[in-house]
Amino acid sequence: MSVLVTGVGVVAPNGLGLEPYWASVLAGRIGLGPVTRFDVSRYPATLAGQIDDFHAPDHVPGRLLPQTDPSTRLALTAAAWALQDAKADPESLTDYDMGVVTANACGGFDFTHREFRKLWTEGPKSVSVYESFAWFYAVNTGQISIRHGMRGPSSALVAEQAGGLDALGHARRTIRRGTPLVVSGGVDSALDPWGWVSQVASGRISTATDPERAYLPFDEQAAGYVPGEGGALLVLEDSEAAEARGRHEAYGELAGCASTFDPPPGSGRPPGLERAIRLALADAGLGPEDVDVVFADGAGVPELDAAEARAIGQVFGSHGVPVTVPKTTTGRLYSGGGPLDVVTALMSLREGVIPPTAGVRSVPREYGIDLVLGAPRTAPLRTALVLARGRWGFNSAVVLRRPEPTP
């Protein structure tokens, strides 16, 4: 059974919607800048990938605005766009034949902290009743399923930056168990004061002030990453079901998935990323020689970059496959980062072009990777590998395959 991506919805700091986002990525247009939603002058880090051109009332029903966090409003918008792109009308499909699987790393930070402030300053009667669920990690899955009448098997996953790929993998399993259509992916937003403190506390956030040189994975001057908000939601379908409802086009096939967990620090055992790559390739029935491009996790932290370069080299050999990190244009979006990379990889397969790693100039020789720099690289592409790692040891890998042309 083939699991196909038949629709995508993108909400990113450098583009709302697939076409604006893809154009920005190919141009290396950076969507990073100073945080403007509150005063960050007292913090060591001041840059983020903000989505500044999203006006929620234009995209979300008014009745939902009082009960949703910014991350959920973005997720609802991306889901609606993905269904529209897939030409899938939920009202014409069986409700129990549609599921929702999303990932979330931060929860409804902005909403819950606003309500906490009311609790402490005005008392419990001032707290919104919607606080009971608006903060929750599963809220995006719930709100999407309610809005579109999707009553099939649904889930929510939490694995920090790796969670979005894990969600897609779980959606693929859900389809293989008999659910014809699943909306899946991830969206995060935590650009309020408390959310910002929680991110800065990781010690991995870049303190640079130049957006063009702040997030530099695999660069000699890498010194942390820039966080962002947004992500992508995708419509995944069983190929036969998609064909039966008249959807004859697809962005690509979700051919293989795998997740691993790093061993405890000090164990002397290697990280689990290499094993995730090999397991995903085996799941797809492919070997390293079949992969045409790798969309790397690109932590932007020197020791993590070195570990990822080592894992890629162990599987593909030194300079054995082109590597790119297009998320330098958006920042790391936590659960939204992996699904957005999947969308980018699918567009690369469709158009035969690898987007550049914007901002990066000089890669240490010892990394031994063929990082695409400066400008897009054209190439015949059939298979792509997307990687993601989350804090505390999460690793995830997804293999994508370009669909066969329709006769």
Side-chain angles (χ1 to χ4, degrees), residues 83-84 86-98 147-150 180-181 237 241-242 244-247:
L83 288 165
Q84 182 181 22
K87 296 180 173 59
D89 178 9
E91 293 187 2
S92 68
L93 302 173
T94 303
D95 50 2
Y96 287 99
D97 283 347
M98 300 178 291
R147 185 179 183 190
H148 297 288
M150 297 177 162
L181 182 151
E237 291 188 73
R245 72 171 183 85
R247 181 62 171 173

Side-chain angles (χ1 to χ4, degrees), residues 21 45 97 110 112 139 148 153 170 187 203-204 206 235 321 407:
Y21 165 74
D97 283 347
D110 185 85
T112 199
V139 68
H148 297 288
H170 187 66
V187 173
R204 295 179 177 179
S206 171
V235 175
V321 63

Side-chain angles (χ1 to χ4, degrees), residues 326-399:
K327 63 171 68 73
T328 56
T329 63
T330 65
R332 288 174 72 81
L333 307 183
Y334 301 101
S335 72
L340 189 59
D341 273 349
V342 166
V343 171
T344 313
L346 290 169
M347 292 299 292
S348 291
L349 295 178
R350 170 182 282 194
E351 300 196 7
V353 60
I354 304 171
T357 305
V360 174
R361 298 172 185 168
S362 181
V363 180
R365 289 186 60 187
E366 60 267 25
Y367 283 179
I369 60 171
D370 177 19
L371 194 66
V372 178
L373 303 175
R377 181 188 300 180
T378 57
L381 304 175
R382 175 166 172 73
T383 304
L385 173 70
V386 180
L387 305 177
R389 295 173 295 175
R391 287 193 69 196
W392 306 291
F394 297 101
N395 305 286
S396 190
V398 162
V399 178

Side-chain angles (χ1 to χ4, degrees), residues 131-146:
E131 167 63 12
S132 59
F133 60 80
W135 68 273
F136 193 43
Y137 297 96
V139 68
N140 292 348
T141 289
Q143 289 283 19
I144 292 168
S145 64
I146 291 169

